[in-house]
Amino acid sequence: PRPCLSSPPGGGQRGWANIYLTMFTTVRLKTLASRCPARAVIAQRGVYPSRAGQRASVSRAGQRAGQARPLCSPATSKGKSTLLEWCESNPIKFGVGVATVKTQAADLLTQKSLEGKSWAEIDWRRNGLFTVFGFAYQGCFQYYLYVTLFSRWFAGAARFVNQPLSVKLTDYAGQRDVLKQIAFDVLIHPIWFFPMYYTLKEALCGHPSLFDGESPAAIGKVALSKYAANNFDTRSEDGLLTDWIAFWKIWVLGDVVVYGLCPMWARLPANHVFSFVYICVLSFMRGSSAEKDLPCVIV
């Protein structure tokens, strides 16, 4: 005979309560197993603590170890690796490290692929120049410029880039902020970017350089003379503003993508992609110590 559900095992309301409790426990265990296996094992053994007990145990563990961490943190439940957690908690170290490695790799790729050098012919002092430039300027200084200063100067940037495209098309205030960021990066930023690169190159790779005992003042004068000859001397075979035009060819489009289309979390990765391409161009154009410069003396 079929069992009568009107009389559950245990009798009366207590019997139905046992059935619902069993169903709820089964569903709960499956959910925990998919999210956090450790909690599922604890619950299956019948020792799953209450929330008050969890808070008390975490507090006691934190006092003993000096640091409290839940059994299954959000990062673990979402499958984040230890490396990603470290990157999120150390953004400056991560950004500077990526900029340094990226700049060095871009010059090495240029020397190997574009210039066709063998490993024995690699100019390691030149590669060291780009390593130092990547660490000091593109890593440390540009992190301060783009992350700290831009967030102050363009406070509405995060709100604009996180909006859908249809909303961006009608957000005229946000569009003006994007244009200001692009104008700053392609018209103002190069004013000191190129002199700093030329000076660092002359200091490390020039003839004579700092290693030869040359004074910083003499190095700076020669570096600015070469920069002026390459960009502002009408006798130059390449024309005027050679470095600036090469900069604009990469960064006008790059800034439109980075500042206008990328959400905040994707800004730095996208910037590194365009920066890698530009560093290859800069290394090919101005990396070699044997480049020919027209004489132009800045008084």
Side-chain angles (χ1 to χ4, degrees), residues 96-119:
V96 171
V98 170
T100 304
V101 174
K102 168 204 67 182
T103 310
Q104 180 191 30
D107 172 69
L108 201 58
L109 176 67
T110 301
Q111 294 194 54
K112 284 287 294 179
S113 299
L114 299 182
E115 299 178 7
K117 293 182 179 180
S118 64
W119 285 107

Side-chain angles (χ1 to χ4, degrees), residues 141-142 144-158 173 176-178 180-181 183-185 188-189 192 259 267:
F141 177 76
Q142 287 194 351
Y144 175 74
L145 174 65
Y146 289 129
V147 176
T148 304
L149 296 182
F150 266 43
S151 62
R152 297 176 186 173
W153 297 339
F154 311 104
R176 286 193 294 270
D177 276 346
V178 170
K180 290 177 184 177
Q181 294 174 75
F184 180 92
D185 201 41
I188 299 177
H189 184 200
W192 63 78
Y259 299 129
R267 272 195 172 190

Side-chain angles (χ1 to χ4, degrees), residues 32-286:
L32 284 174
S34 63
R35 294 182 178 177
C36 184
R39 283 186 176 178
V41 172
I42 293 175
Q44 195 170 12
R45 290 176 180 174
V47 294
Y48 195 81
S50 64
R51 294 199 176 273
Q54 291 180 36
R55 289 193 293 268
S57 61
V58 168
S59 177
R60 288 193 296 269
Q63 293 174 358
R64 290 194 301 269
Q67 179 177 342
R69 181 174 180 174
L71 180 63
C72 187
S73 64
T76 305
S77 64
K78 293 180 180 179
K80 289 186 178 178
S81 66
T82 305
L83 177 60
L84 291 179
E85 291 180 352
W86 183 89
C87 294
E88 289 183 353
S89 59
N90 299 273
I92 298 179
K93 295 179 181 179
F94 174 69
V96 171
V98 170
T100 304
V101 174
K102 168 204 67 182
T103 310
Q104 180 191 30
D107 172 69
L108 201 58
L109 176 67
T110 301
Q111 294 194 54
K112 284 287 294 179
S113 299
L114 299 182
E115 299 178 7
K117 293 182 179 180
S118 64
W119 285 107
E121 298 172 331
I122 294 294
D123 186 347
W124 292 109
R125 180 175 289 195
R126 164 182 165 181
N127 191 249
L129 158 68
F130 280 93
T131 304
V132 173
F133 187 70
F135 170 80
Y137 188 85
Q138 296 213 311
C140 299
F141 177 76
Q142 287 194 351
Y143 184 92
Y144 175 74
L145 174 65
Y146 289 129
V147 176
T148 304
L149 296 182
F150 266 43
S151 62
R152 297 176 186 173
W153 297 339
F154 311 104
R159 177 194 59 80
F160 178 80
V161 297
N162 290 326
Q163 295 178 143
L165 181 59
S166 58
V167 179
K168 290 180 182 178
L169 295 176
T170 58
D171 187 352
Y172 301 114
Q175 293 174 17
R176 286 193 294 270
D177 276 346
V178 170
L179 292 177
K180 290 177 184 177
Q181 294 174 75
I182 295 174
F184 180 92
D185 201 41
V186 300
L187 297 177
I188 299 177
H189 184 200
I191 293 175
W192 63 78
F193 175 86
F194 291 118
M196 292 181 71
Y197 170 75
Y198 274 83
T199 302
L200 184 62
K201 176 188 173 184
E202 198 64 27
L204 300 181
C205 303
H207 303 286
S209 66
L210 283 177
F211 302 106
D212 301 318
E214 187 71 10
S215 67
I219 288 175
K221 186 175 182 179
V222 173
L224 293 180
S225 298
K226 291 184 177 182
Y227 169 60
N230 290 332
N231 293 275
F232 307 110
D233 196 318
T234 56
R235 295 170 294 174
S236 174
E237 297 178 357
D238 297 328
L240 297 176
L241 298 176
T242 307
D243 292 332
W244 287 64
I245 293 173
F247 186 91
W248 292 335
K249 287 180 179 179
I250 303 295
W251 283 112
V252 170
L253 175 62
D255 286 343
V256 170
V257 174
V258 171
Y259 299 129
L261 300 178
C262 288
M264 291 303 294
W265 65 265
R267 272 195 172 190
L268 283 179
N271 185 277
H272 285 313
V273 171
F274 286 100
S275 180
F276 183 87
V277 176
Y278 176 69
I279 292 299
C280 290
V281 174
L282 180 64
S283 175
F284 185 75
M285 291 178 58
R286 306 300 181 201

